[in-house]
Amino acid sequence: IVFKKYIDINNPFYIVESAIRVLSLVPPSFITDDAITQIFNVLNHNSNRVTVAAIDAFGFFGDSIINNDERMTQFCRQLAHSDSEIRSATINALDRLKSRVNEESL
């Protein structure tokens, strides 16, 4: 499945949100760096629904952001967002990432 044409900031929010939600169902090992980059590009979308979808997605396959200071910083900026749903989604995604890191270190 090609998501390049769907995960684009110029598309209507419901198309972008749906594409990200579908991508979140794909096993993390199949998520390409290009897909992760595309999702990062819409992290600050003007629709909170897209932002929450992107944050949720990174909770499932965002292990690559842990080793990337720039992406992790951008992701963590959502903790200061004015919308409580976005802050909450960010906390939940970080908790999921943290639990996976803890499982790997055991």
Side-chain angles (χ1 to χ4, degrees), residues 50-84:
V50 171
T51 300
V52 169
I55 290 168
D56 288 345
F58 285 116
F60 293 110
F61 57 76
D63 296 16
S64 64
I65 68 171
I66 293 171
N67 295 324
N68 185 317
D69 290 342
E70 183 180 327
R71 285 186 172 176
M72 191 65 175
T73 300
Q74 180 183 357
F75 187 75
C76 287
R77 282 190 188 119
Q78 303 305 316
L79 291 167
H81 198 281
S82 61
D83 187 281
S84 64

Side-chain angles (χ1 to χ4, degrees), residues 15-82:
I15 291 174
V16 179
E17 178 190 11
S18 298
I20 293 170
R21 296 280 184 207
V22 169
L23 193 58
S24 296
L25 300 173
V26 175
S29 59
F30 291 97
I31 305 300
T32 64
D33 287 338
D34 286 344
I36 291 171
T37 298
Q38 284 182 263
I39 294 173
F40 258 100
N41 291 340
V42 297
L43 189 59
N44 294 314
H45 196 276
N46 60 0
S47 168
N48 286 355
R49 292 178 61 149
V50 171
T51 300
V52 169
I55 290 168
D56 288 345
F58 285 116
F60 293 110
F61 57 76
D63 296 16
S64 64
I65 68 171
I66 293 171
N67 295 324
N68 185 317
D69 290 342
E70 183 180 327
R71 285 186 172 176
M72 191 65 175
T73 300
Q74 180 183 357
F75 187 75
C76 287
R77 282 190 188 119
Q78 303 305 316
L79 291 167
H81 198 281
S82 61

